[in-house]
Amino acid sequence: MPPLALALWLFNVVIDTGGQLAFKAAAGHPQAGEGLARWRHMARRPWLWIGIGCYVAEFLAWIAFLSLVPLSEGVLLGSINIVALMLAGRLLFGEKLTRLRVIGMLLVSVGVAVVGAGA
Amino acid sequence: MRRLYLIGFPLLMAFDTLAQLSFKMAGSHALPVEANLAWLLRVFGHPWIYGALIGYIGAFFTWMSLLEHAPIGPAFAASHLEVVSVMLLSAWLFHEPLTLARVAGALLILAGIACLGVAESREGAAAAREPAAAG
């Protein structure tokens, strides 16, 4: 893989994981309230906007990355994001990694990679 | 919680699928791809791009509602159900080949999501027992 593609891929993993974690931080806030009040609470705090910013940056980085590597290779490498988020959820939100959850996440991850490899 | 997931994840899949298929429709109707205004006008002049927009916005609100309670690791993995639905619909609508590898990958994704579903219902059962034990 060319160095630029490798850099773009690493950037994508970081920004995708970071964006999802920001969304979780926004959505899971315990004092957010219900219904419309919950959305107002989220909109007034930075997490939601950080998440949206990451999405936009990721969209551009992903298009640039796919212009350098074949789509199948791209999808294959994208499946790493599932594992990255599993570990980050454990570290930052204390999410329990039960055996069944780990098996489930790894199966999905391998499945996405296999679909990508078969494209 | 269980009902939230049973409605939320299929809804998320539906919005994500609508967005992807609409992008494909809008993109193929706007060929050839060019980095200019004419191409953008062709893309946005086509009704399918609004399907993509609806899909994106719907998926965003569904996802943020799910994340209120769902753990991010398993939920992000489960959101890949979209890969399976897009694959099946592309085979039907765009005649993209269903190779053995793709079908095998789809089955692995489904098996993984089934595991996550069982894991969550066990978590839910454990959480329901805890307050009773404490009280």
Side-chain angles (χ1 to χ4, degrees), chain A residues 5-17 54 57-58 60-62:
Chain A
L6 186 68
L8 281 169
W9 171 52
L10 288 175
F11 179 72
N12 175 270
V13 174
V14 171
I15 207 104
D16 187 32
T17 309
C54 284
E58 187 199 342
L60 298 174
W62 188 243

Side-chain angles (χ1 to χ4, degrees), chain B residues 3 14-15 22-23 45-46 48 50 57 74 77-78 112 114 120 122 125 133:
Chain B
R3 211 183 46 154
F15 279 128
S22 302
F23 263 127
H46 202 276
W48 278 112
Y50 301 99
I57 293 169
E120 285 329 288
R122 281 189 191 170

Side-chain angles (χ1 to χ4, degrees), chain A residues 23 27 35-36 38-40 42-43 48-49 52 55, chain B residues 4 8-9 11-12 15-16 53-68:
Chain A
F23 278 145
L36 206 60
R38 180 171 169 263
W39 283 99
R40 274 205 295 271
M42 286 196 281
L48 184 71
W49 304 106
I52 291 173
Y55 249 40
Chain B
L4 178 80
F9 280 103
L11 194 64
L12 180 69
F15 279 128
D16 277 337
L53 213 59
I54 292 168
Y56 258 43
I57 293 169
F60 172 73
F61 281 96
T62 310
W63 184 231
M64 291 307 286
S65 304
L66 276 168
L67 283 186
E68 185 174 357

Side-chain angles (χ1 to χ4, degrees), chain B residues 60-109:
Chain B
F60 172 73
F61 281 96
T62 310
W63 184 231
M64 291 307 286
S65 304
L66 276 168
L67 283 186
E68 185 174 357
H69 297 293
I72 184 71
F76 183 70
S79 72
H80 288 76
L81 191 56
E82 165 210 14
V83 174
V84 179
S85 59
V86 169
M87 192 180 85
L88 292 177
L89 284 169
S90 313
W92 180 48
L93 293 172
F94 308 120
H95 308 288
E96 291 181 10
L98 272 182
T99 61
L100 189 64
R102 283 182 181 175
V103 173
L107 290 175
L108 285 171
I109 293 173

